[in-house]
Amino acid sequence: MSKSTGLHYVLPILAGRLTRFVTRLRGGGSAMPGVVVQKLAPNVMRDVASQLPYGVVFVLGSNGKSTTTNLLSAIMREHGLKVFTNPSGANMPQGIASAMLAETSLTGRMDADIAILEIDEGYGAVIARQLKPQTAVILNLLVDQIYRFGEPDKVAQMFRGIAAEIGSSIVLNRDDNFLGTLGSELEAEGRLAVEYFGVTPEVQASAPHGQVSARDFSGVATTAVRHAVAEVVHADGYDAKIAFAGTVHEVRMPSRGIHYAVDIAAAFTLAARNLGDRFDITKAISAVQTTKTVYGRGEILQVNGVEVEILMLKNLASLQLNLDYLQETPDSVLFAYDESSKDPSWLYAADLSRLDHVDVISGPKGAFVALRLAYEGKDFGVIEPDITKAVQRMLDGPKPKSGRHTFFLDYDQMMATRRYLGYKDLEAGAA
Amino acid sequence: MSIRVLELYPGDLSLNGDVGNRTALVRRMRLAGLDVEELSYSSGGELPESADIVLIGTGSSSAVRAIAADVDRIAPMLRAWSEAGVVIVAAGAGFHLLSTSLRLSATEVFPGAGVFAGSVDSSRKRIITEAFAVESEFGLLIGTENHTSIYTGRPDQKALGRVRNGFGNGDGTEGARVRNSIGTHCHGPFLVLNPAVADSLIEVAAQRAGLEYRPGPEHADLDAVIDLARGILLAKVPA
């Protein structure tokens, strides 16, 4: 492909920049600039991506995309690479185009060595055809967004379609039901180098609900015991031990749980794959340990001398794993459920035994959470649909003995809560 | 004397929090002071000799393929129970597996257990209705539907109700009802949001077991919260 990008992109990129400027003045709309550029110059993204010396990496999976993208970016930076990445959650075509546009010069060049992008599974194949990623990691296939996808098997199909667009290698969760099957298929096909990360059977068995991965009924048993490049041999609270190249390394994690440890193992495996001999596990561990959590994913905010921990609850797996790795029964709990979470059925599959009560329920669909707790016979204080009022109510209440409020928040409530508590970095971020 | 609630294939048919149907029934019965015994059945296992309430839930087409042969194996017992008046609540794929035949694709047709007299074509395009509403003898039922099927009941097969908002069986009716067995596309789960159905079924099951079911003030408290949740979906039903 010609590297003589250049003048013919000046106008489209200017138009996109202008749109970006205008939409930001109006406060939001980060996908719009991407729409404009894509319309004016459909190949601009492909050409920009093709110049990156370490290419494009896709981070895929039902849960953990933002966290893993963040970890992987930190690891690559620690190794001296300039990393371009999309802001958490901006993982659909226009959001990615907008994010890339913000970092692209008028002549269609990006000052980066590698692009590490979290990608929505529904759009993955389309985005892959445009950006031609060489490598990808798939973290898990969970029961997620049934309202959007119908059944997990559909998502497995999507991952197959995305894998077909990847250039050279793919890194998979060895212990995920569907991804194990996908790995067997890709190995048989022989086009891609396939590598795995995983957890030991002991770690898997010690997790109260495992990794909550969706069941694959296809009947293809993955009996082969596969090698995992990075394997979690211990995960307890913030402490993990990960085996890599014959040595077990201790890692103090930014957040808790087997799911976090698995994301780290995924990042190690992919970084080692991409950097080859340049990969240094000591640098990778140091990067992980000094990384801040992605906002809202086990993030702890300081508010007037009290801690507020934000845990996301986008689906059964995220709620269950976050519950399973609570350090103690939380004494001050806010739980919010969003309008965009269409079907609350999954709440009934959750094991809520780690909660003994909820203080305030919020969000437009908070009543579904209240009902779930009512069937469990658990007290839920009040329902305050307005999230900022609900947050204020928590802060006005008695100071928790533990010194910490625990907020289980859906995506929109998480954003609103951070904003309300004065964490405005999202608005000022790279979007 | 206790009421035996039997959940069929809970590990296979549980795509939409289907355990919630058991949760709803068991909670209401225990609040009324009834003894409840919770049982489950999985492929290759042995059915208990008797059950008062049988539940079977929603699942993916791959799950249906995995258990269809086993459903066929236990079909005579399920039919006998239904004919004897045992309460059966079948949702989504569970409803389809208890019909007379189930088509998954152009080339795949599975025999159903024959509890409900109707055939299912589950190879259609996906239908998703967030606020699925059905007029029925139990009042207005509300929940969510998410399936790829058309159910064609035999003319003498009574439906659960008429669709007010959504797709249901595909012909304006929704679900099926025979003696004390109910089949539906409604989840959310179904009984969690529709206490009138839950109470009616418990009453039948209790009566058959020689017990009395009398909801009390704690049921009223629970129902007040149910109304809040129902209200969210009812507000989305076009007038």
Side-chain angles (χ1 to χ4, degrees):
Chain A
M1 167 142 334
S2 155
K3 291 274 164 95
S4 63
T5 47
L7 283 180
H8 57 295
Y9 285 147
V10 171
L11 267 179
I13 291 175
L14 266 178
R17 289 264 167 90
L18 182 65
T19 314
R20 182 161 175 267
F21 179 68
V22 173
T23 50
R24 288 190 133 207
L25 281 182
R26 292 164 52 203
S30 78
M32 202 49 209
V35 178
V36 172
V37 180
Q38 295 273 50
K39 273 255 185 303
L40 293 174
N43 291 331
V44 63
M45 294 307 144
R46 185 192 61 202
D47 292 353
V48 170
S50 71
Q51 306 158 25
L52 302 170
Y54 283 82
V56 177
V57 176
F58 273 19
V59 179
L60 300 149
S62 305
N63 286 3
K65 291 188 284 291
S66 293
T67 291
T68 306
T69 300
N70 187 41
L71 292 170
L72 192 54
S73 298
I75 293 170
M76 292 302 191
R77 287 188 182 114
E78 193 77 17
H79 283 82
L81 267 63
K82 273 192 182 164
V83 176
F84 167 75
T85 183
N86 50 338
S88 163
N91 55 19
M92 298 193 191
Q94 310 305 354
I96 288 166
S98 290
M100 288 181 72
L101 169 72
E103 297 296 317
T104 300
S105 75
L106 289 182
T107 52
R109 292 190 178 278
M110 179 184 272
D111 184 21
D113 299 310
I114 187 169
I116 301 171
L117 303 173
E118 65 159 279
I119 301 288
D120 177 87
E121 49 271 44
Y123 294 97
V126 174
I127 302 171
R129 278 192 281 276
Q130 203 168 30
L131 298 183
K132 305 280 176 212
Q134 285 303 301
T135 51
V137 53
I138 311 184
L139 299 164
N140 45 47
L141 201 167
L142 313 170
V143 174
D144 175 44
Q145 301 184 73
I146 293 301
Y147 190 84
R148 179 176 168 211
F149 298 127
E151 47 188 38
D153 310 65
K154 266 271 177 337
V155 179
Q157 259 330 105
M158 290 170 180
F159 284 152
R160 267 185 207 104
I162 298 166
E165 303 290 337
I166 302 296
S168 66
S169 64
I170 197 160
V171 167
L172 301 171
N173 183 337
R174 177 190 62 189
D175 311 309
D176 181 280
N177 300 321
F178 276 102
L179 298 180
T181 309
L182 177 62
S184 302
E185 290 169 16
L186 293 174
E187 284 176 23
E189 192 184 289
R191 191 180 64 84
L192 293 177
V194 185
E195 287 182 334
Y196 300 90
F197 54 95
V199 304
T200 58
E202 294 75 29
V203 169
Q204 179 85 356
S206 70
H209 299 88
Q211 297 182 50
V212 201
S213 77
R215 257 189 78 179
D216 178 9
F217 292 93
S218 64
V220 189
T222 45
T223 44
V225 178
R226 289 167 162 149
H227 170 69
V229 174
E231 187 175 47
V232 179
V233 299
H234 174 83
D236 183 21
Y238 290 95
D239 294 309
K241 292 189 180 129
I242 297 179
F244 179 86
T247 309
V248 173
H249 302 270
E250 291 191 8
V251 181
R252 180 74 180 169
M253 304 189 288
S255 189
R256 299 181 302 268
I258 187 176
H259 50 312
Y260 213 96
V262 168
D263 290 348
I264 293 170
F268 285 174
T269 304
L270 196 98
R273 175 84 219 168
N274 268 35
L275 293 170
D277 292 343
R278 281 190 65 186
F279 180 73
D280 177 347
I281 187 72
T282 320
K283 283 184 181 168
I285 292 168
S286 157
V288 165
Q289 292 187 148
T290 52
T291 298
K292 279 174 56 180
T293 53
V294 181
Y295 55 83
R297 278 76 164 184
E299 181 187 33
I300 294 169
L301 308 178
Q302 303 290 337
V303 184
N304 306 329
V306 182
E307 289 180 347
V308 172
E309 179 169 29
I310 301 184
L311 298 166
M312 286 263 283
L313 58 83
K314 69 181 215 118
N315 51 31
L316 172 64
S318 62
L319 175 61
Q320 195 65 65
L321 287 161
N322 283 326
L323 284 169
D324 290 349
Y325 288 92
L326 286 169
Q327 284 168 307
E328 51 196 85
T329 304
D331 56 353
S332 179
V333 184
L334 168 70
F335 204 130
Y337 197 81
D338 191 27
E339 175 56 36
S340 61
S341 291
K342 292 291 181 190
D343 181 351
S345 297
W346 63 266
L347 285 171
Y348 289 87
D351 171 4
L352 302 183
S353 56
R354 293 300 308 273
L355 293 178
D356 65 2
H357 79 289
V358 171
D359 296 277
V360 178
I361 288 173
S362 187
K365 286 184 172 163
F368 288 123
V369 175
L371 183 55
R372 173 72 182 93
L373 291 165
Y375 274 117
E376 203 82 5
K378 289 189 173 166
D379 182 39
F380 56 84
V382 294
I383 305 176
E384 170 49 69
D386 184 307
I387 185 66
T388 57
K389 286 183 188 155
V391 168
Q392 192 56 50
R393 210 177 167 116
M394 293 295 292
L395 299 177
D396 290 345
K399 195 169 170 171
K401 279 207 186 74
S402 65
R404 175 182 290 187
H405 298 291
T406 304
F407 289 7
F408 291 92
L409 302 176
D410 229 336
Y411 192 81
D412 288 2
Q413 273 67 44
M414 182 271 288
M415 300 291 271
T417 297
R418 289 186 91 262
R419 214 178 299 128
Y420 183 67
L421 293 177
Y423 288 76
K424 311 219 188 241
D425 45 328
L426 297 181
E427 278 81 359
Chain B
M1 191 71 196
S2 64
I3 296 188
R4 307 183 102 191
V5 180
L6 170 66
E7 202 177 2
L8 301 178
Y9 311 102
D12 306 287
L13 301 178
S14 55
L15 191 56
N16 295 288
D18 297 88
V19 65
N21 283 329
R22 192 181 87 205
T23 303
L25 292 170
V26 169
R27 179 83 188 156
R28 298 185 82 82
M29 290 191 279
R30 293 211 169 120
L31 285 178
L34 292 173
D35 271 340
V36 181
E37 196 182 342
E38 297 176 72
L39 307 167
S40 67
Y41 168 84
S42 300
S43 285
E46 208 172 312
L47 283 171
E49 265 175 39
S50 71
D52 301 296
I53 300 177
V54 178
L55 303 171
I56 180 167
T58 66
S60 61
S61 43
S62 52
V64 168
R65 285 185 189 97
I67 62 168
D70 194 80
V71 172
D72 196 42
R73 186 177 74 87
I74 64 169
M77 189 56 149
L78 296 179
R79 276 197 305 271
W81 278 345
S82 177
E83 279 159 23
V86 170
V87 169
I88 300 181
V89 179
F95 169 35
H96 299 159
L97 282 162
L98 264 48
S99 70
T100 51
S101 78
L102 169 53
R103 174 178 295 281
L104 281 188
S105 68
T107 51
E108 283 173 294
V109 182
F110 296 95
V115 168
F116 303 106
S119 59
V120 178
D121 178 358
S122 201
S123 64
R124 304 298 184 107
K125 79 173 193 344
R126 187 162 291 277
I127 303 287
I128 301 173
T129 311
E130 184 186 9
F132 179 47
V134 177
E135 320 259 13
S136 79
E137 288 173 18
F138 303 99
L140 186 61
L141 309 178
I142 191 91
T144 297
E145 68 171 335
N146 183 346
H147 60 97
T148 58
S149 60
I150 283 180
Y151 173 86
T152 310
R154 221 171 49 192
D156 60 334
Q157 170 72 78
K158 195 171 159 191
L160 170 62
R162 289 206 66 79
V163 175
R164 189 192 294 180
N165 187 47
F167 185 82
N169 293 340
D171 61 356
T173 67
E174 157 56 10
R177 235 183 124 180
V178 55
R179 284 171 294 277
N180 300 318
S181 302
I182 287 178
T184 182
H185 296 99
C186 188
H187 59 79
F190 178 52
L191 297 178
V192 158
L193 290 169
N194 297 287
V197 183
D199 276 351
S200 163
L201 297 178
I202 294 170
E203 211 176 291
V204 168
Q207 214 164 45
R208 290 187 72 248
L211 299 166
E212 197 185 354
Y213 172 62
R214 208 177 290 159
E218 284 183 289
H219 292 79
D221 290 347
L222 180 57
D223 290 354
V225 187
I226 295 176
D227 277 342
L228 288 177
R230 280 176 64 93
I232 291 171
L233 292 182
L234 288 171
K236 293 170 191 287
V237 176

